[in-house]
Amino acid sequence: MIVIKDVHKRYRTDHGPGKWVLQGVNLTIPSNVNVGLIGSNGAGKSTLLRIIGGIDHPNKGQVERRCRLSWPMGQGGLEPSLTGRQNAKFVCRVHGHQDDLTDRLAFIQDFSELKAAFEEPVNTYSSGMRSRLQFAMSLAFDFDIYISDEVTAAGDAAFRDKAAAAFKSMANRAGLIMVAHSDSTLRQFCEAGILLYQGKAQWFDDIEEAFKAYKDTIKK
Amino acid sequence: MSEVRNPMVVSFAVWKAIFLREALDRLFDMRAAWFWLLAEPVLHIGFLVFIFTVLRMRTVGNADVAVWIIVGMLAFFLFRRTAVQVTYAVDSNQPLFTYRQVKPFDPALARAVLEAFLMAIISTIILSVAALLSHDTWPHDPLLVLSAVFGLWLFGVGYGLVASVLMALVPEMEHILKILMLPLYLISGVIMPLVVIPQPYLDLLMLNPIAHGLELVRAGFFPYYHTVQGLSMEYLYAWAIVSLFLGLMLYRRFALQLVMK
């Protein structure tokens, strides 16, 4: 379960503090629900994910993480000068998997289908290869809740099918908080929705309701 | 699901992971990066020893000039490399802060330890080679050498921590700090024996804690070394500890500005 209490966030700009991106977000996200974040560009979706993931901090308010929570997957997290294997090793070690390192690495190499490229530096990868690696790493660990920032938009058609199936089974077994540009992806994986609008967040048990509310905010 | 890991366990896991990642980067980043780590001090030392001995200056303050230069240079390199590596620790690990287990202080610590580790190996190699060339490179007071070297390393860490926060807060500081680093090589007595400098200028130069550190290391190597008056281990450690704690405090206060844009 994740409890978000009165989170405020604004960024520093060259002209002093910017406008509030999040202004008093209160949410309780249970562990067993897949929830999609909905909002227009710049509404603070990625910001909220980063704050939930603990890599950005609110100016005010707090986030309690009462479960094992993944890092925000899909955005960065790869050191360009290291090889795919070295990056994967780093993530395994940070998450306390020193003992079963070999198994996890074998899984990541196998799932990402990088083959020999797994031993090449990440800065030689194409964007598809990078996201395949990120995707494989995100599946290699057990979390109670996964945070996904556009993680499914990866690879070619064959890989996408495999990825979607794996993602679905993961989403069935654990909770998921996701941002995606396409509505169909959100509908495919999520049952609940959170609408971000003017710095506030609103919870909907049914994602269709959230989409309906989102359409209403656009009309205004 | 799996049990919650103890915070200390998480920290150790992160330190180990970053240490190994940094070691790879430092040793194998470019073609033969490890060679240049060793070659840089060797070339500096070789060049200076050549110049000094050609000028028929065989001893400095009762010490073998070759060993005098080797010891001073290695101690100075330990300080400078630690300081520079710690300064850029956060910048070079930016993508890894995606994992919330990794805090800004972690890469700084890993880099400082790695640098000490590498300099210990490099120093052993260089001193052993000099010993094979029949120079007396065994310190007569190893504990004095170790404590002075540790003080220099600690000051390097403190300097690096403070510098990285200053640079994150005021970007122009990078230029100023680089300008400050340049004459340090000259005024710390790496090349020029500080004993030859007359008063009152000597007192001004001895405000620099690195000069104290280098002279102390040398005093630990040579039993009858004529060192500068007013040498003080406490002075070196005062700078080291104050800068270290200032750096840690700044990290605690400004950790977010370091990581965020």
Side-chain angles (χ1 to χ4, degrees):
Chain A
M1 188 167 78
I2 298 167
V3 182
I4 302 166
K5 285 180 193 156
D6 195 32
V7 161
H8 286 64
K9 179 71 189 176
R10 63 179 171 189
Y11 287 101
R12 206 178 282 267
T13 68
D14 288 341
H15 327 286
K19 75 175 188 62
W20 290 104
V21 182
L22 302 174
Q23 202 166 15
V25 172
N26 284 293
L27 286 169
T28 303
I29 304 175
S31 296
N32 51 1
V33 174
N34 299 345
V35 53
L37 279 180
I38 302 167
S40 44
N41 291 341
K45 301 189 293 280
S46 288
T47 302
L48 184 59
L49 280 194
R50 289 168 57 85
I51 288 176
I52 293 173
I55 55 171
D56 207 337
H57 294 253
N59 299 95
K60 191 183 159 206
Q62 56 179 346
V63 178
E64 283 173 29
R65 302 176 194 88
R66 300 182 191 160
C67 59
R68 273 176 70 96
L69 179 68
S70 82
W71 68 92
M73 291 161 174
Q75 299 291 315
L78 294 176
E79 169 62 41
S81 66
L82 297 183
T83 67
R85 179 184 296 279
Q86 287 162 353
N87 267 295
K89 266 190 192 170
F90 179 85
V91 180
C92 288
R93 289 198 177 109
V94 164
H95 287 87
H97 291 291
Q98 181 68 45
D99 301 335
D100 50 355
L101 199 59
T102 336
D103 295 347
R104 311 257 163 186
L105 288 177
F107 171 83
I108 293 171
Q109 181 169 22
D110 183 53
F111 194 95
S112 62
E113 296 173 15
L114 284 170
K115 301 194 175 73
F118 198 47
E119 318 296 344
E120 297 293 328
V122 169
N123 54 19
T124 64
Y125 285 18
S126 69
S127 60
M129 286 158 80
R130 284 175 77 102
S131 47
R132 278 191 344 236
L133 177 60
Q134 283 170 332
F135 190 83
M137 288 202 312
S138 68
L139 289 178
F141 306 101
D142 288 326
F143 293 108
D144 298 329
I145 298 185
Y146 289 77
I147 306 176
S148 158
D149 196 349
E150 298 282 353
V151 85
T152 41
D156 50 28
F159 184 82
R160 271 209 303 275
D161 290 344
K162 180 174 93 165
F167 203 71
K168 191 78 197 169
S169 81
M170 176 197 85
N172 287 338
R173 130 178 90 79
L176 178 67
I177 306 171
M178 74 185 295
V179 168
H181 277 303
S182 88
D183 294 356
S184 61
T185 314
L186 284 175
R187 284 197 174 95
Q188 189 185 352
F189 294 110
C190 304
E191 58 258 25
I194 295 171
L195 174 64
L196 279 177
Y197 180 62
Q198 291 183 343
K200 305 269 189 228
Q202 199 180 352
W203 175 276
F204 294 89
D205 282 337
D206 183 359
I207 192 154
E208 295 303 330
E209 299 278 324
F211 275 119
K212 216 181 284 170
Y214 174 55
K215 301 245 161 55
D216 290 342
T217 66
I218 297 173
K219 276 180 203 143
K220 276 179 207 163
Chain B
M1 287 181 59
S2 44
E3 74 282 17
V4 177
R5 284 188 294 162
N6 179 302
M8 238 18 244
V9 174
V10 177
S11 277
F12 276 117
V14 169
W15 290 340
K16 180 177 179 189
I18 296 188
F19 182 84
L20 291 169
R21 167 249 177 291
E22 283 288 343
L24 272 176
D25 218 40
R26 195 98 172 99
L27 292 170
F28 303 105
D29 187 26
M30 321 180 280
R31 228 172 353 179
W34 53 270
F35 169 75
W36 294 109
L37 280 182
L38 182 62
E40 194 192 359
V42 167
L43 292 175
H44 278 250
I45 290 167
F47 177 71
L48 283 171
V49 170
F50 176 74
I51 298 281
F52 271 63
T53 46
V54 163
L55 293 177
R56 302 185 65 79
M57 186 170 168
R58 298 290 155 79
T59 60
V60 173
N62 234 354
D64 178 353
V65 69
V67 183
W68 184 85
I69 288 172
I70 290 174
V71 167
M73 193 71 81
L74 289 174
F76 182 74
F77 265 85
L78 173 70
F79 165 77
R80 194 175 65 179
R81 283 188 173 175
T82 308
V84 171
Q85 286 294 106
V86 172
T87 305
Y88 293 101
V90 173
D91 277 354
S92 328
N93 286 289
Q94 210 55 260
L96 303 181
F97 294 112
T98 304
Y99 311 102
R100 71 174 168 282
Q101 292 86 348
V102 183
K103 301 293 176 204
F105 173 67
D106 297 333
L109 178 78
R111 281 196 156 189
V113 174
L114 176 65
E115 228 37 50
F117 189 69
L118 292 175
M119 279 311 289
I121 296 174
I122 291 168
S123 304
T124 312
I125 294 173
I126 292 178
L127 288 171
S128 312
V129 170
L132 290 177
L133 297 172
S134 67
H135 290 280
D136 181 14
T137 55
W138 189 254
H140 92 100
D141 187 353
L143 279 181
L144 179 61
V145 174
L146 281 181
S147 47
V149 163
F150 185 71
L152 280 169
W153 178 76
L154 218 54
F155 182 49
V157 180
Y159 171 94
L161 291 176
V162 175
S164 60
V165 177
L166 287 182
M167 273 164 45
L169 296 180
V170 189
E172 291 80 8
M173 280 307 288
E174 183 169 6
H175 301 291
I176 296 172
L177 291 173
K178 272 188 182 157
I179 293 169
L180 280 180
M181 263 297 192
L182 204 63
L184 218 51
Y185 194 83
L186 294 172
I187 62 169
S188 302
V190 183
I191 307 174
M192 192 174 36
L194 288 177
V195 267
V196 304
I197 293 174
Q199 291 288 9
Y201 307 107
L202 182 61
D203 278 349
L204 285 176
L205 288 182
M206 291 313 281
L207 289 175
N208 169 12
I210 302 159
H212 286 262
L214 296 195
E215 282 294 286
L216 283 165
V217 177
R218 284 169 179 152
F221 261 85
F222 313 113
Y224 304 112
Y225 181 52
H226 297 304
T227 180
V228 182
Q229 291 290 306
L231 216 52
S232 158
M233 186 72 88
E234 289 76 20
Y235 186 70
L236 172 63
Y237 270 84
W239 271 83
I241 288 168
V242 168
S243 64
L244 185 67
F245 277 87
L246 179 65
L248 289 174
M249 255 162 61
L250 288 171
Y251 256 61
R252 195 159 167 74
R253 172 66 184 79
F254 294 109
L256 295 177
Q257 273 94 323
L258 285 174
V259 179
M260 284 180 337
K261 286 289 148 296

